[in-house]
Amino acid sequence: MDIEGFDKTVKTLKLYHRINKNQFDFPGIEGGAVLEKTYVDLLPKEGVLSKLLYPNTTFLIGKRGTGKSTIIARAQQKIRADKDYLSVYVNAKTVYEMDRNNSSVEDINKNILSNAEIKQLRILQMFLSELLKSLKQELNEEKLRYLENLNQKKESLKLNKLVRELTNYLRKGQV
């Protein structure tokens, strides 16, 4: 048993912020396999996870450390495996914290917008920024998976060609 890997998994699951799929990378174990093996659904037949994957808006509500981020990470893993959809994650806490530290729209004349409207505009700006960042990351990863798959197919075609050539060569030698 990999005690060091287990300790790292437990520490990762205790984090208060978004679980990054790279945090599930352990020596000798593919990241997705760790998440699949450690995810435990509260309902039979992955009931919580399946409800989260319905094509409608779902809210996960719970105290810190109850597994909301883990459920989302597992759902993203299933969505990525489906290959028909992209999964983009925006952390509302990050957006809110970024808003407190950003004054990029403060230059707007206060006579035009109220303080509440400026705050809403800043939060929307941060949300869109985080959405774009997450989408770019997901598209880059999808591109890498596509290129890796393409490369594997190319290698497979080369190997098949070599096998055919070798087979033809051996047939000619036997005739």
Side-chain angles (χ1 to χ4, degrees):
M1 178 178 210
D2 181 10
I3 299 297
E4 190 175 307
F6 179 75
D7 286 344
K8 188 175 177 185
T9 302
V10 170
K11 287 176 187 170
T12 299
L13 295 174
K14 286 184 175 181
L15 298 175
Y16 73 92
H17 61 284
R18 170 76 171 125
I19 295 172
N20 184 324
K21 67 182 173 185
N22 297 334
Q23 291 171 306
F24 283 107
D25 290 337
F26 301 109
I29 304 173
E30 192 176 318
V34 171
L35 183 58
E36 258 181 72
K37 290 177 183 178
T38 58
Y39 175 77
V40 177
D41 203 301
L42 296 174
L43 298 176
K45 299 179 182 177
E46 294 189 328
V48 174
L49 181 62
S50 64
K51 301 263 185 307
L52 187 66
L53 293 171
Y54 284 168
N56 55 5
T57 303
T58 305
F59 289 94
L60 286 178
I61 301 170
K63 292 182 179 180
R64 181 177 142 191
T66 57
K68 297 177 301 296
S69 294
T70 304
I71 293 168
I72 291 170
R74 182 70 176 102
Q76 284 188 292
Q77 182 186 40
K78 278 202 167 251
I79 290 167
R80 286 184 187 110
D82 186 17
K83 301 206 185 307
D84 287 337
Y85 301 97
L86 289 176
S87 174
V88 179
Y89 177 85
V90 177
N91 187 335
K93 181 178 179 180
T94 302
V95 170
Y96 179 75
E97 288 174 355
M98 288 173 68
D99 169 57
R100 292 191 318 187
N101 300 324
N102 186 347
S103 60
S104 63
V105 294
E106 289 295 325
D107 299 334
I108 297 173
N109 187 332
K110 296 230 180 202
N111 294 330
I112 297 172
L113 298 174
S114 69
N115 286 341
E117 290 169 327
I118 290 173
K119 183 174 179 68
Q120 287 176 339
L121 185 58
R122 279 199 325 251
I123 290 173
L124 179 60
Q125 181 185 24
M126 292 302 123
F127 173 80
L128 292 174
S129 173
E130 285 296 301
L131 178 67
L132 182 60
K133 186 170 82 175
S134 183
L135 184 58
K136 281 181 182 178
Q137 180 182 354
E138 192 69 23
L139 288 172
N140 281 332
E141 289 175 15
E142 186 64 28
K143 179 178 76 174
L144 290 175
R145 283 191 293 270
Y146 174 77
L147 291 175
E148 185 178 300
N149 192 17
L150 193 61
N151 194 31
Q152 287 174 350
K153 286 180 181 177
K154 183 179 170 185
E155 291 300 317
S156 179
L157 289 174
K158 283 182 185 178
L159 189 59
N160 287 341
K161 182 180 176 188
L162 285 173
V163 168
R164 280 193 310 272
E165 288 175 1
L166 182 59
T167 303
N168 289 337
Y169 178 77
L170 291 173
R171 283 184 185 156
K172 289 178 184 178
Q174 291 176 349
V175 176

